[in-house]
Amino acid sequence: MATSNTAQLKKSVSPYEKPITKASLLQLINTIPPFILLWAAAYLSLSVSYWLSLPFILLASGFLIRIFILFHDCCHQSFFRSRKANEVLGTLTGIMTLFPYHQWKHSHSIHHSTSSNLDKRGIGDMWLMTTDEYLEASRWTRFYYRLYRNPIVMFGIGPFAVFLIEYRFNRKGARRAERVNTWITNLGIVAVYGVLIWALGWQAFLLVQLPIFWLSGAAGIWLFYVQHQFEETYYEHDAEWSYVKAAVEGSSYYKLPKALQWLTGNIGFHHVHHLSPRVPNYLLEKAHESVPPLQHATTVTLKSSFAAVKFKLWDEQKKDFVTFGQIKHLLQASRTSASAAGRTPKAAPDNEVA
């Protein structure tokens, strides 16, 4: 995407940065009550057949993703104009989605300010190594990285490791307000889950809540993954890094079917969101359609997005993703070249397994 006038591009979306109270309240009504009703329907269906419960569980998972988008907007102060209202709703929806409002707001704001910056990776984003880093890493680091990037681990175990466990603890150096909010969120989760287990029984509770949590969590990780891991994306070192380029070239337009677009709160317009996080989710599509340069963002469809699973490492020379298979080939080629030159490859025996 051409970004010669980056300042003007960012300014062009500013008219869409103000929340509309009526639209926000409507989203609350068409999101949270349906989720509760679907959860109840899934539970009541258990007495007939678990197969009957599954459609309600699947739909409830979709609505829980949508609840997370409301939480996400609150963290950006883009759902309500009132900071206090965003904090209250963000904390309540954080209990529903298992995310502490202040803690996630902190890490996510860092993600926005450092996205696609090769020198500032590590907070609020997924672990990504460059090919050079991978080749120079120890065998254990490479093994751990391969395990981390394995789809079964990332989307299967990831929701439990990150959402259920990691966010239950305060980060080192967190301020008092953030620490207290994490404790409040944890107590809220215990209270809600405790009441449901007491009223429904732990088995029925797990049969409904566990798949809802896992499906929505895996889908959430997938959405975050695919909107930054795609062909022709943007990564640069700090000296050359541009916030606007990182937004419109380092974030994709995930073009989803209308039903999925609605359930995911228009987060597929991720390039618009990264360009201006203050745009409410219900105005992202309008901003995209009203600003012609944004329509040239890299478009990823539901079908083409599955190719992202093979993207494992960032090649700084090619400025593109490579697979583990490709890096293994490069490693073997470097050894052959070094051998032909009559010298020992720089890679130590520890680097023999790609």
Side-chain angles (χ1 to χ4, degrees), residues 160 171 229 282 288:
F160 297 95
R171 64 182 178 85
Q229 319 269 320
Y282 46 78
H288 169 82

Side-chain angles (χ1 to χ4, degrees), residues 145-157:
Y145 182 74
R146 290 176 72 101
L147 191 66
Y148 174 91
R149 302 287 293 198
N150 185 290
I152 295 175
V153 174
M154 185 173 288
F155 306 112
I157 301 174

